[in-house]
Amino acid sequence: MNPVVIAVAITGSVPRKTDNPAVPTTVAEQIESTHQAFEAGATLVHIHVRNDDESPSSDPNKFAAVQEGVRKHCPGMIVQFSTGGRGRDPSARGLSLVHKPDMASLSTGSVNFPSIVYENHATLVTDLAGTMHRNGIRPEIEIFDLSHIHGAKRLIEEGLMDAHPHVQFVMGVKNAMPADEHLLDILLAETKRVIPGATWTAAGIGREQARVMGWALARGADAVRTGLEDNIRVTKDRLAASNAELVSLAAEMVTRNNRKVATPAEARAALHLKPVA
């Protein structure tokens, strides 16, 4: 089987240092945490940035600074910016895309979250997709619902992205899609039917992280995702020491499933990205 890309979601919008002191919230911490995760086997980093009070930020300068540090210290690593909306002004969610990361996340529809509606209006989705397309950024389509697969298909039909998006099934968010193996089979089958050229992964939230990763590997996923954004613990009773620890555990699971951890060059080839010059 093809090598497996390990994606690390280093920070997210929700966890704070009071939840786990290892959550990197400053630019310097994010660069260092990503470097450690890269050394442990991660070849894709999913980036959110924070304000000084740890609240979510859309500051394009912070995104640019993290990207610069990652490209300096982690040769060939795939940089993916978040355009997610939790705690961010919709009009600011695409501001960082001017810095042309390799990839960016893109949700194609709205969904209930634990305490809010994660709203992705059709106009906003089209605008973000168009900005990515103009800047040569490959989208990662965040699938929280079956209809979101068809939202991605519409963007392909409208010429706003090519036929090879990277698709991520997000499972285990309260009030959204549960972590159910049968549901993963349904989502995967529909994606292969509707967007046959897509690569794919699945993300399990919190205690579901390892379980969903195992399901994905058993089904030949192109990538797996880990990191403190999704899960701050190694066990019920122990916090993760770092993003690197979670990446090391993911790499061990890849090996146990008779798969190989992708190198940066292999990761870029797998996700239809240009090699680093």
Side-chain angles (χ1 to χ4, degrees), residues 203-222:
I205 305 304
R207 65 183 182 180
E208 307 293 355
Q209 187 171 80
R211 193 158 65 121
V212 171
M213 195 182 303
W215 298 341
L217 288 168
R219 288 159 175 77
D222 300 284

Side-chain angles (χ1 to χ4, degrees), residues 35 61 68 82 93 122 146 151 159 179 207 211 230 252:
H35 183 225
N61 294 324
E68 181 182 5
S82 172
R93 285 166 54 181
L146 189 69
R207 65 183 182 180
R211 193 158 65 121
D230 299 339
E252 290 172 7

Side-chain angles (χ1 to χ4, degrees), residues 7 26 28 36 44 52 95 112 116 120 146 152 170 192 218 232 275:
T26 68
Q36 292 171 357
L44 186 159
D52 291 344
L95 293 179
N112 287 336
I116 64 167
N120 293 287
L146 189 69
V170 185
K192 289 182 175 180
I232 61 171

